[in-house]
Amino acid sequence: GSGQWDVYLGLGGFIARDDFRFGFETGYNARLPDRVSYYNPDARVRRRQHLDPGDEQRLHLDGAYHGGRWLAPEVFLDVLHRDPTKKFENPITHRPGTAPEMYLAELGLAVRAELTESTHAGVVVQHPIWGKATMTFFPLDVTGPRAYLYAGYRF
C-alpha cells in the first residue's frame, strides 16, 4: 500500500448451539491521511503529496455446521463500503477530483477441516452478489469469483 497508518475498530462474536455456529463481525477501518509518494501525471513532479484514502466499513456474517469433530461446512456473507478517496487523480481515467465510493457484497462457501489437533485445512469459494466496483486509490478491487485452498499449523 501507500505506507499510511490505518486504525481499525471492530466488534464480533458468535453463538454456538449443538452442531451449529453463527458468527458476526462488524468494523470500521479509518485510513489516516498523510503525505506519500504516488502516481502523478506530471513527470517533473516527484514529491510527496497529501493523500486521504477512503475509510472502510465492513460486515461479516457466517454460519457453520460442525459435522463430527473435524469437518465444518460454512456459508458466509461479506459486505464492504469504501468511502471515496479525496483529492485524488484517478490513474486510469486521469480525471482529477474525488474517486468514487465502492460497494461490494460477496457470498461464500467454505469447507474447513481439523486434520489433527494442530493442523487444519480448507477450501473457500467466493462470488460477488451485489456491488459497484469503482476506481479508488486501490485502482480496482478484485470483484470476480475466486477460490482458494489453505492449510495451517498451530504451534
Side-chain angles (χ1 to χ4, degrees):
S2 63
Q4 292 174 259
W5 287 87
D6 288 0
V7 176
Y8 181 79
L9 176 65
L11 175 68
F14 66 92
I15 298 170
R17 183 173 181 139
D18 298 327
D19 294 334
F20 294 95
R21 177 185 52 81
F22 301 98
F24 77 94
E25 179 184 350
T26 184
Y28 189 91
N29 188 17
R31 297 180 175 222
L32 305 179
D34 198 359
R35 295 183 61 77
V36 297
S37 298
Y38 68 94
Y39 172 80
N40 188 327
D42 186 351
R44 296 168 292 158
V45 177
R46 298 284 186 215
R47 65 182 187 276
R48 296 164 61 88
Q49 298 182 14
H50 180 80
L51 181 64
D52 189 355
D55 294 347
E56 290 181 351
Q57 301 83 40
R58 296 181 169 269
L59 173 66
H60 174 87
L61 302 171
D62 64 64
Y65 171 75
H66 292 267
R69 182 178 178 272
W70 66 279
L71 187 63
E74 175 183 319
V75 62
F76 60 91
L77 174 69
D78 285 320
V79 179
L80 166 70
H81 172 256
R82 181 175 296 143
D83 295 334
T85 301
K86 298 166 195 74
K87 298 179 183 175
F88 176 69
E89 179 171 317
N90 186 313
I92 307 298
T93 63
H94 304 292
R95 285 190 214 136
T98 299
E101 62 187 334
M102 175 183 167
Y103 301 93
L104 181 62
E106 292 185 302
L107 186 63
L109 299 171
V111 177
R112 306 180 194 283
E114 297 290 329
L115 305 174
T116 68
E117 288 186 18
S118 58
T119 59
H120 56 100
V123 60
V124 180
V125 177
Q126 287 179 265
H127 194 285
I129 56 173
W130 175 79
K132 180 175 80 170
T134 57
M135 304 290 180
T136 64
F137 175 64
F138 307 92
L140 259 184
D141 277 66
V142 177
T143 58
R146 59 186 151 190
Y148 54 92
L149 301 170
Y150 73 91
Y153 180 79
R154 285 189 286 268
F155 297 98

